[in-house]
Amino acid sequence: MSESRHSDWDPRSESVQADQVDAYDAMRRRCPVAFSDYLQWSLFRHADVMRVLEDHETFSNAASRHLSVPNAMDPPEHTRFRRLIEPYFGPEAMVEFAPTCRAIAEGVVDQLPDDGEVEAMTEMGQGFALEIQCAFMGWPTRLHEPLRAWVKRQQAATLAGDREALGELALEFDGVIRELLASRRDAGDAAPDDVTTRIMNERVEGRALTDEEIVSILRNWTVGELGTISASIGILMRYLAANPELQARLRAERRLLPAAIDEILRLDAPLMSNRRITTCPVEIGGRRLEAGERLTLLWGSANRDEAVFGDPDEVCLDRDPKDNLLYGAGIHVCPGAPLARMELKDFMEALLDATDDIAPLPGCPAVRARYPAGGYSEVPLHIRR
């Protein structure tokens, strides 16, 4: 048995859910490796999270009950699939997609009112995430609205903890992908030369990918991105609205945008956590864990650790980027980071180009998202163009 099975905290309590960032800051100081029935062992400190990320032999990524390529795999299997997918986010692929990315960012921003209210999450974040992800995958625009409705239902089921509904939604999304695969196979040589078709034709260890592997890869590239990109847009727009001095500086010095984006998303995480499972007995943060224990790595806490970042709420534009765990670290560092960075930079540049001012909407504060989501569920703002 593990050293302790009593709950050190309740991640689902109203006090935690009302402001996850504040609650995690407090836990990091009080009980940096904490047990709960809901998340099992939660790691709050940067050093402990880095130890897990750098020791994949002790802390396995194979923590999912379902096939997840390559997210829930360990070497050597992970290595083979990682080698296959990395070129899709390499320099050449990013150069090829850059004009489309910029055009979509400008098109979404053009929908802003000249002088009025906007809800940044639904009107900007979700719309941009849907359009940009479908374009990258080569999916038809007719899927935008069905996917928007699917995301809404998926978020509701997640918040309700409705496992049955989540299972049905997962099958529904997989069905969308399988229909896209079938249409390309029916088209034969006339199938579009896009990311989805290319993945279908990939081989690993000399064999063709199974449909289950293809669906898993495409699901990971879409479902995760729809959530994190939209959350990132909401976080960034809210932060600039609440910090007019930084907003003015970024309007004047666009070269600072990449560093500012990474810093703002460091202190307010769009992706709150990730999972691991122990392969052998281990001690971490003064707690003893046995083999088979489940861990939750809380990015939303580790990236605010005072031992590494000093004042966690300070945006430092010349900070050493190696400490920022926004895209993870180690062998499982997010392969899609170059795409995400380009998408967010293009969106923020288009936003600053098209507006004169982004401000909070008086009397309408932003509403924090609830776990497992990060960021906000509502970000009401006033825009002036």
Side-chain angles (χ1 to χ4, degrees):
M1 291 290 290
S2 291
E3 168 248 316
S4 174
R5 277 295 186 185
H6 74 276
S7 287
D8 299 303
W9 69 311
D10 181 4
R12 287 176 288 190
S13 70
E14 187 57 35
S15 61
V16 172
Q17 292 292 340
D19 191 340
Q20 294 181 75
V21 173
D22 185 62
Y24 296 168
D25 284 350
M27 284 299 299
R28 188 171 58 252
R29 302 173 191 123
R30 180 177 75 82
C31 187
V33 178
F35 184 82
S36 68
D37 291 335
Y38 182 45
L39 297 181
Q40 302 298 292
W41 292 99
S42 295
L43 273 56
F44 293 89
R45 289 191 302 208
H46 191 280
D48 293 332
V49 170
M50 280 300 299
R51 177 182 168 192
V52 170
L53 297 178
E54 292 172 346
D55 183 1
H56 57 269
E57 293 183 355
T58 302
F59 304 98
S60 168
N61 234 54
S64 175
R65 295 177 175 86
H66 308 286
L67 178 66
S68 182
V69 182
N71 304 36
M73 292 177 168
D74 294 319
E77 190 177 29
H78 168 269
T79 308
R80 292 193 288 266
F81 281 98
R82 180 77 184 217
R83 190 181 301 124
L84 180 153
I85 67 176
E86 281 186 341
Y88 287 86
F89 305 100
E92 290 184 10
M94 294 303 94
V95 168
E96 180 183 346
F97 188 60
T100 300
C101 186
R102 180 70 188 189
I104 290 173
E106 291 172 348
V108 171
V109 168
D110 280 345
Q111 300 169 25
L112 287 167
D114 288 338
D115 189 356
E117 301 175 10
V118 64
E119 201 290 286
M121 284 299 300
T122 55
E123 296 176 41
M124 292 286 102
Q126 290 179 13
F128 178 67
L130 278 168
E131 287 197 39
I132 204 74
Q133 203 58 31
C134 284
F136 179 73
M137 303 299 296
W139 294 4
T141 56
R142 63 176 171 78
L143 286 179
H144 289 178
E145 291 312 310
L147 286 178
R148 188 190 299 274
W150 183 90
V151 168
K152 187 175 182 179
R153 286 183 287 130
Q154 195 250 8
Q155 290 172 339
T158 299
L159 288 176
D162 189 335
R163 289 185 175 274
E164 183 178 352
L166 287 170
E168 292 172 356
L169 285 163
L171 289 174
E172 180 182 331
F173 195 89
D174 287 359
V176 171
I177 297 176
R178 289 179 187 278
E179 287 179 9
L180 291 165
L181 302 185
S183 68
R184 281 163 168 73
R185 288 184 176 126
D186 290 344
D189 292 340
D193 180 20
D194 56 26
V195 165
T196 299
T197 301
R198 292 171 204 167
I199 283 288
M200 292 174 62
N201 294 325
E202 289 284 3
R203 302 183 72 81
V204 61
E205 295 289 281
R207 65 166 178 83
L209 299 183
T210 66
D211 272 11
E212 288 71 22
E213 289 166 342
I214 296 169
V215 169
S216 177
I217 292 170
L218 298 182
R219 183 200 310 121
N220 286 337
W221 287 3
T222 47
V223 175
E225 287 303 295
L226 291 176
T228 54
I229 292 298
S230 61
S232 296
I233 296 298
I235 292 166
L236 292 165
M237 291 184 69
R238 190 216 66 87
Y239 194 89
L240 292 192
N243 295 272
E245 290 185 4
L246 179 61
Q247 182 183 154
R249 186 179 181 190
L250 294 177
R251 289 183 183 279
E253 300 179 74
R254 300 299 174 79
R255 63 180 178 80
L256 298 176
L257 259 179
I261 290 169
D262 277 11
E263 263 290 272
I264 294 167
L265 298 181
R266 173 195 63 76
L267 60 88
D268 202 345
L271 177 65
M272 198 53 80
S273 68
N274 202 238
R275 295 178 296 174
R276 295 293 192 274
I277 188 167
T278 56
T279 62
C280 60
V282 63
E283 183 174 305
I284 186 164
R287 312 297 291 266
R288 178 174 172 79
L289 282 64
E290 300 299 333
E293 298 279 5
R294 292 183 173 272
L295 292 85
T296 302
L297 312 183
L298 286 166
W299 311 117
S301 173
N303 250 354
R304 295 176 52 82
D305 192 334
E306 297 85 350
V308 177
F309 302 104
D311 179 356
D313 289 309
E314 180 185 2
V315 170
C316 182
L317 299 184
D318 59 356
R319 192 185 301 279
D320 188 342
K322 72 176 177 61
D323 293 324
N324 191 337
L325 300 178
L326 174 60
Y327 296 102
I331 65 169
H332 293 285
V333 66
C334 178
L339 175 63
R341 284 193 165 106
M342 182 171 70
E343 291 171 349
L344 295 174
K345 177 175 177 289
D346 282 356
F347 179 89
M348 295 306 293
E349 283 186 340
L351 179 69
L352 295 177
D353 285 345
T355 61
D356 293 324
D357 185 57
I358 306 165
L361 190 63
C364 298
V367 178
R368 280 279 178 190
R370 301 170 76 88
Y371 189 89
Y376 301 85
S377 59
E378 297 177 22
V379 182
L381 300 172
H382 184 272
I383 301 291
R384 182 167 52 82
R385 301 181 69 176

